[in-house]
């Protein structure tokens, strides 16, 4: 029987048994309302529409997390509300927002726009960006603790002069009276440089009151620092400061590249610029490489500013949550941190500084694969504040933008107080090998220089950017090398536990005593690592305390800080290690730096290999000569004539850039093009290779058929455009001029049991390049077990 006939026999208000359509009056009521666009963690990449029920309309805000039903089973998931609009939504029945997760919004409209831009630029889901921007501790609303806080009662303050006190007790009371807020006993003892005994005595006498209060984790953990006054600036520093402050006073954006040789006083320029920002009632963000977040760096900022938040990877979720709330409330003047501090929720941002802007650690290696420098540029531009990029060895990307006038270049060509740059001398290891020399990593020249420096009460830094004892285990009889079964990489010998270890997947096995293939007992352990270097140093310089700093010795929390403190205080005379000792350290008593092997990394299959070598050698050379005693650098190398080594020896960045940039331009490499690296991996080699070839063909076809030059973000809608399917180009589309290298096996062809293939896609039109890749990969389903990524502006080529 026809459905309309059956319905005719029922009363008008009676619903049929199987009817799922809403009643007409329901459709009328639902046709208009407050609609929330919500980014959800699973399902489609675009935001979904939800109806906001009457009970939540006064509370819901853009930037808050909400609980919404998803899928046929209406499973509740947590998403981000990215847009609210009172509008008609037709006869489409919308599901309702189930509830609110947060008491207040976690993301401002400006930060939401930034995250949307990131999702578009880095070819990833918006949810991945949102989860990276909002720390887990904030999302989980991590914790509080009970603390005992000390203060001086008002009546005690009035009669302070008449009390019989010891010198320590008087010092403690005066400090606590002057303190702007209550303190814990630990804070007070450290500030007054005493034990807690005089504090406890004052508490017993009733001269110090105590109160137990529930506080945010980390709220009273920050140790007070002795105040420092600004240093006198030389003419070049003053000119640099004026250049930085000009756009701030004009309330406009400008990107300034502060190129200063090591020891030229860049940090003092930052500090005085930030002081001016604070005087205007605004906040500053200072990004530094994680490795440079030393106690020296932290204390230098805390000694100059009252309210500083230091964000680093060792913070607990509770500590990170507390910092986040303090920053968002405007109670923090300066945020100092690693890469993710670029997302600090400063409501009154006045300046962003990237120190050591060339550092590769500013690029994230998992989705979203953003570069903090580019995100900082976007944020600073959107909020009309200056961005300062400081380095002794700027990235060639920043250098070329300064050369073309996109950025402003300011130079500090000399060290402060007129101190000379250290003399740098190369030691040609080819000559060492051609005649008899003692075996070991330390050449005769370097050994003599070390003895001279140590005899004169100086300190020595030795750089070897490779950890372990022996980097290669091979049988001289059959030639077999001991490799990781999961990776196509040789195992490294670690002598401490006599283990052969893979530094990529952490596989390890007992160090072999004979060849696994032919059983020959004379297996050879070759190559130099920091463990072997340490053994040689202890043997040759037994009278001088030595310390090794690498990923193996610096695993426990605080070990990095303790090691540097011992070196700064002179307890350690020889500091050796990997690149973690090459940057951000200022020790005036270091009179000799030795680069044990400058060639590590120089000949890797990476177009940035020469740039990284120049940067590393120049940076480590800058660790010496910072005091009145001067300094010297010895660079051991098999390639003393390489232009990167020659430029580093002369401390000449201009010479290096003039050599390297024409090569990059002739090969269409960045900074003259934009680059996207596609990496495919899978357990079956042929399957992964075939899928990589398919991806390459689709990208080539998308480029040939044209890519829209318009923005891929729909303005004002709060959702990401996914691109149109690959098809015939419109009349406004043109073939994209791009270059595709590969697909080919990656330099590390197998890692963690998976075969890897990669391709490099380059074009002068960055936006259309990303759009072509987006269109080419939309909806593509890789075979089972195969994974792929698109790394925009990739810096890792291995």
């Amino acid at each position: 029987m026809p459905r309309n006939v059956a319905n005719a026999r029922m009363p008008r208000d009676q619903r049929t048994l199987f009817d799922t359509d809403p009643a007409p009056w329901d459709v009328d009521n639902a046709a208009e309302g407050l609609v929330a666009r919500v980014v959800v963690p699973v399902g489609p990449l675009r935001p979904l529409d939800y109806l906001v029920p009457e009970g939540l309309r006064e509370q819901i805000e853009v930037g808050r997390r909400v609980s919404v039903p998803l899928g046929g089973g209406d499973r509740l998931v947590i998403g981000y509300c990215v847009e609210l609009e009172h509008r008609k939504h037709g006869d489409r029945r919308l599901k309702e927002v189930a509830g609110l997760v947060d008491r207040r919004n976690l993301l401002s409209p400006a930060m939401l726009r930034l995250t949307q831009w990131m999702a578009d630029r880095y070819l990833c889901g918006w949810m991945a960006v949102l989860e990276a921007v909002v720390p887990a501790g904030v999302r989980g609303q991590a914790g509080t603790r009970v603390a005992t806080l000390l203060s001086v009662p008002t009546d005690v303050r009035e009669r302070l002069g008449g009390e019989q006190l010891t010198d320590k007790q008087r010092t403690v009371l005066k400090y606590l009276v002057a303190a702007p807020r209550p303190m814990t006993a630990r804070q007070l003892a450290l500030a007054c440089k005493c034990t807690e005994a005089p504090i406890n005595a004052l508490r017993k006498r009733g001269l110090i009151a105590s109160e137990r209060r529930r506080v945010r984790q980390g709220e009273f953990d920050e140790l007070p620092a002795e105040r420092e006054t600004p240093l006198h600036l030389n003419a070049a520093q003053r000119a640099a400061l004026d250049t930085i402050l000009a756009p701030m006073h004009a309330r406009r954006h400008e990107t300034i590249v502060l190129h200063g040789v090591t020891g030229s006083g860049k940090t003092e320029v930052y500090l005085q610029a930030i002081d001016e920002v604070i005087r205007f009632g605004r906040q500053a963000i200072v990004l530094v490489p994680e490795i440079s977040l030393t106690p020296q760096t932290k204390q230098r900022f805390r000694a100059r500013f009252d309210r500083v938040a230091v964000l680093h990877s060792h913070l607990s979720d509770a500590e990170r949550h507390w910092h986040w709330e303090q920053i968002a409330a405007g109670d923090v003047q300066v945020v100092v941190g690693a890469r993710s501090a670029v997302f600090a929720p400063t409501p009154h941002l006045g300046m962003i500084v990237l120190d050591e802007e060339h550092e590769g650690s500013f690029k994230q290696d998992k989705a979203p694969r953003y570069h903090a420098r580019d995100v900082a540029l976007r944020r600073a531009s959107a909020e009309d504040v200056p961005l300062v990029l400081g380095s002794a060895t700027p990235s060639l990307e920043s250098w070329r933008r300064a050369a073309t006038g996109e950025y402003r270049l300011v130079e500090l060509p000399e060290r402060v107080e007129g101190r000379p740059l250290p003399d740098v001398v190369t030691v040609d290891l080819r000559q060492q090998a051609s005649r008899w020399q003692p075996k070991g990593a330390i050449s005769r020249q370097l050994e003599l220089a070390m003895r001279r420096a140590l005899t004169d009460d100086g300190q020595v830094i030795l750089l070897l950017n490779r950890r372990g004892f022996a980097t290669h285990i091979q049988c001289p009889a059959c030639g077999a090398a001991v490799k990781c079964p999961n990776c196509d990489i040789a195992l490294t010998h670690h002598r401490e536990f006599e283990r052969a270890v893979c530094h990529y997947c952490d596989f390890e096995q007992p160090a072999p005593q004979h060849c696994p293939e032919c059983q020959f007992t004379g297996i050879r352990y070759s190559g130099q690592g920091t463990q072997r270097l340490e053994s040689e140093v202890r043997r040759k310089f037994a009278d001088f305390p030595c310390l090794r700093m690498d990923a193996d010795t610096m695993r426990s929390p605080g070990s990095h800080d303790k090691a540097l403190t011992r070196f700064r205080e002179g307890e350690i005379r020889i500091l050796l290690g990997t690149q973690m000792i090459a940057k951000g350290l200022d020790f005036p008593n270091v009179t000799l730096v030795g680069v044990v092997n400058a060639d590590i990394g120089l000949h890797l299959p990476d177009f940035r290999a020469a740039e990284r070598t120049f940067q590393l050698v120049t940076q480590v050379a800058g660790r010496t000569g910072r005091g009145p005693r001067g300094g010297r650098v010895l660079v051991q190398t098999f390639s003393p004539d390489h232009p990167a080594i020659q430029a580093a020896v002369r401390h000449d960045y201009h010479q290096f850039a003039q050599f390297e940039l024409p090569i990059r331009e002739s090969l269409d490499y960045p900074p003259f093009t934009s680059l996207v690296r596609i990496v495919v991996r899978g357990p079956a080699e042929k399957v992964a290779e075939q899928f990589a070839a398919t991806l390459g063909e689709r990208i080539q076809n998308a480029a040939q058929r044209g890519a829209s030059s318009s923005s891929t973000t729909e303005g004002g809608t709060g959702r990401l455009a996914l691109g149109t399917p690959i098809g015939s180009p419109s009349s406004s589309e043109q073939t994209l001029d791009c270059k595709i290298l590969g697909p080919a096996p990656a330099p590390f062809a197998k890692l963690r049991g998976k075969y890897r293939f990669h391709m490099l896609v380059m074009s002068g039109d960055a936006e259309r390049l990303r759009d072509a890749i987006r269109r080419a990969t939309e909806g593509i389903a890789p075979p089972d077990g195969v994974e792929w990524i698109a790394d925009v502006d990739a810096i890792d080529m291995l």
Side-chain angles (χ1 to χ4, degrees), residues 175-374:
Y175 193 95
L176 191 55
V177 166
R181 62 175 184 169
M183 303 176 69
T184 65
R186 175 174 174 268
Q187 278 183 310
L188 188 55
L190 286 168
C192 298
K193 299 179 181 177
C194 66
T195 66
E196 293 188 18
I199 299 171
N200 293 333
L202 291 168
R203 291 177 66 183
K204 287 179 181 179
R205 293 175 57 180
L207 300 178
I208 289 181
S210 62
E211 174 192 6
R212 287 180 64 79
R213 187 195 309 169
R214 182 162 289 279
V215 298
R216 284 284 180 190
Q217 194 78 23
E219 187 173 352
F220 288 89
D221 289 346
E222 183 178 307
L223 303 181
E226 293 184 12
R227 299 296 291 185
E228 292 180 357
T229 56
L231 302 177
H232 175 73
L233 300 182
N234 59 32
Q237 287 176 303
R238 171 55 59 185
L241 178 62
D242 291 342
T243 301
I244 293 169
L245 293 180
M248 190 205 76
H249 289 149
R251 291 187 175 270
R252 61 178 173 82
H253 166 71
E254 187 171 19
T255 300
I256 298 110
V257 175
L258 182 58
H259 173 222
V261 298
T262 56
S264 59
K266 294 185 292 295
T267 303
E268 184 62 28
V269 174
Y270 304 153
L271 291 170
Q272 295 198 24
I274 292 168
D275 188 58
E276 186 76 359
V277 169
I278 293 171
R279 285 181 59 247
F280 275 72
R282 308 184 82 181
Q283 300 164 285
I285 296 175
V286 182
L287 303 181
V288 300
E290 177 82 35
I291 204 170
S292 298
L293 276 173
T294 62
Q296 194 176 14
T297 303
K298 300 171 190 175
Q299 289 301 98
R300 189 163 187 187
F301 280 92
R302 286 174 175 158
R304 297 287 280 271
F305 308 111
D306 293 329
R307 301 187 302 278
V308 179
V310 180
L311 308 180
H312 53 83
S313 61
H314 297 302
L315 289 178
S316 67
D317 283 349
E319 290 169 328
R320 200 172 292 276
H321 185 202
W322 179 76
H323 280 306
W324 176 278
E325 291 197 335
Q326 295 296 301
I327 295 166
D331 294 336
V332 170
Q333 297 169 323
V334 186
V335 180
V336 182
R339 180 178 60 229
S340 61
V342 72
F343 305 122
T346 49
H348 311 297
L349 184 62
M351 179 180 294
I352 303 178
V353 176
L354 260 81
D355 191 28
E356 309 293 358
E357 68 88 27
H358 65 277
E359 268 291 313
S361 61
F362 283 127
K363 181 76 159 68
Q364 179 150 296
D365 59 1
K366 60 182 179 181
R369 293 175 174 80
Y370 69 91
H371 199 300
R373 181 182 61 224
D374 297 320

Side-chain angles (χ1 to χ4, degrees), residues 436-455:
W436 184 89
Q437 289 285 336
K439 289 185 178 181
I442 300 174
S443 65
R444 185 177 297 277
Q445 295 98 313
L446 181 55
E447 181 178 351
L448 291 174
M450 289 175 66
R451 293 197 182 281
R452 189 178 304 115
L454 294 168
T455 303

Side-chain angles (χ1 to χ4, degrees), residues 655-690:
Q655 176 187 339
F656 172 73
Q658 289 170 4
F659 156 75
E660 183 71 10
L661 283 172
I663 297 175
R664 299 275 189 92
E665 186 173 20
S666 67
L667 297 173
D668 292 327
Y669 279 129
F672 297 94
T673 58
S674 293
L675 179 148
V676 179
R677 183 185 185 220
I678 309 292
V679 182
V680 176
R681 66 181 186 183
E685 183 176 12
K686 291 298 182 184
V687 175
E689 182 180 20
Q690 183 57 50

Side-chain angles (χ1 to χ4, degrees), residues 469-481:
F469 190 86
T471 57
H472 197 65
I473 308 173
Q474 189 171 24
C475 175
C478 70

Side-chain angles (χ1 to χ4, degrees), residues 478-767:
C478 70
V482 179
K483 291 188 175 184
C484 173
N486 304 316
C487 309
D488 189 26
I489 294 172
L491 295 180
T492 299
H493 178 216
H494 285 249
R495 197 173 191 178
E496 286 175 310
F497 305 104
E498 286 299 327
R499 308 291 289 177
V501 180
C502 176
H503 288 169
Y504 293 88
C505 74
D506 295 328
F507 169 84
E508 61 177 73
Q509 67 180 34
Q513 302 302 310
H514 53 77
C515 175
E517 299 294 329
C518 71
Q519 308 305 311
F520 179 68
T521 56
I523 195 164
R524 180 178 299 163
Y525 290 79
S526 58
Q528 298 285 350
T530 49
Q531 283 187 11
R532 175 169 273 175
L533 177 62
E534 179 187 26
S535 177
E536 183 178 350
V537 168
R538 292 188 184 279
R539 186 175 68 253
K540 292 181 176 180
F541 300 92
D543 296 334
F544 299 97
C546 165
L547 181 69
R548 171 166 59 94
M549 288 185 66
D550 57 24
D552 298 315
T553 59
M554 299 290 112
R555 289 180 177 176
S556 60
S559 57
H560 186 266
D561 297 350
K562 292 174 184 175
L564 294 180
T565 299
R566 293 176 65 195
F567 189 63
R568 183 179 299 107
E569 294 175 351
E571 178 186 345
I572 301 299
R573 299 291 301 281
I574 304 172
L575 181 68
L576 66 93
T578 55
Q579 63 178 342
M580 67 172 60
I581 67 171
K583 302 147 189 175
L585 307 181
D586 189 352
F587 300 126
N589 200 42
V590 173
T591 57
L592 177 68
V593 166
V595 180
V596 176
N597 188 347
D599 303 331
I600 294 176
L602 181 59
H603 305 296
L604 290 175
D606 183 342
F607 69 89
R608 290 191 179 95
E611 182 180 8
R612 290 200 181 104
T613 299
F614 169 78
Q615 289 168 344
L616 186 60
V617 174
T618 302
Q619 291 286 339
V620 74
R623 299 313 105 203
T624 188
R626 289 173 172 255
R629 305 176 63 185
R632 191 163 178 246
V633 183
L634 265 67
V635 179
Q636 299 185 159
T637 174
F638 287 97
S639 309
D641 299 324
H642 193 285
I645 301 291
Q646 286 291 308
V649 165
R650 295 185 175 93
H651 306 280
D652 193 339
Y653 181 87
H654 292 263
Q655 176 187 339
F656 172 73
Q658 289 170 4
F659 156 75
E660 183 71 10
L661 283 172
I663 297 175
R664 299 275 189 92
E665 186 173 20
S666 67
L667 297 173
D668 292 327
Y669 279 129
F672 297 94
T673 58
S674 293
L675 179 148
V676 179
R677 183 185 185 220
I678 309 292
V679 182
V680 176
R681 66 181 186 183
E685 183 176 12
K686 291 298 182 184
V687 175
E689 182 180 20
Q690 183 57 50
F691 182 70
T694 300
L695 272 180
E697 292 172 3
R698 290 174 65 103
I699 293 171
Q700 185 69 59
N701 291 338
Q704 290 176 351
R705 295 177 180 179
S708 172
S709 61
S710 62
S711 173
T712 55
T713 303
E714 297 179 9
T717 66
R719 60 179 164 179
L720 299 177
L722 298 179
T724 56
I726 298 174
S728 300
S730 68
S731 59
S732 63
E733 291 176 333
Q734 298 177 348
T735 299
L736 174 65
D737 183 14
C738 75
K739 181 177 182 179
I740 301 178
L741 302 179
F748 291 159
K750 186 182 180 185
L751 278 180
R752 302 176 187 90
K754 295 186 177 181
Y755 296 91
R756 304 169 73 244
F757 296 86
H758 74 152
M759 72 185 90
L760 305 183
V761 189
M762 293 167 284
S763 173
D765 190 330
E767 190 170 305

Side-chain angles (χ1 to χ4, degrees), residues 383-516:
E383 300 195 33
D384 288 324
V385 301
L387 169 65
V388 182
L389 306 177
S391 177
T393 55
S395 65
L396 288 176
E397 286 82 358
S398 296
W399 183 257
R400 184 168 184 272
R401 287 183 175 182
T404 58
E406 188 175 348
Y407 297 166
R408 180 182 290 261
L409 177 65
V410 180
E411 301 205 67
L412 301 177
E414 297 179 353
R415 285 189 159 185
V416 295
E417 300 179 358
R419 292 176 185 150
L421 287 162
D423 292 330
V424 183
V425 178
T426 57
V427 177
D428 191 343
L429 294 179
R430 297 172 300 181
Q431 295 181 7
Q432 304 284 325
S434 65
R435 59 177 183 264
W436 184 89
Q437 289 285 336
K439 289 185 178 181
I442 300 174
S443 65
R444 185 177 297 277
Q445 295 98 313
L446 181 55
E447 181 178 351
L448 291 174
M450 289 175 66
R451 293 197 182 281
R452 189 178 304 115
L454 294 168
T455 303
D456 292 341
D457 293 327
Q459 291 175 291
V460 175
I461 290 178
L462 298 178
L463 170 72
L464 178 60
N465 201 25
R466 184 169 288 168
R467 61 191 177 101
F469 190 86
T471 57
H472 197 65
I473 308 173
Q474 189 171 24
C475 175
C478 70
V482 179
K483 291 188 175 184
C484 173
N486 304 316
C487 309
D488 189 26
I489 294 172
L491 295 180
T492 299
H493 178 216
H494 285 249
R495 197 173 191 178
E496 286 175 310
F497 305 104
E498 286 299 327
R499 308 291 289 177
V501 180
C502 176
H503 288 169
Y504 293 88
C505 74
D506 295 328
F507 169 84
E508 61 177 73
Q509 67 180 34
Q513 302 302 310
H514 53 77
C515 175

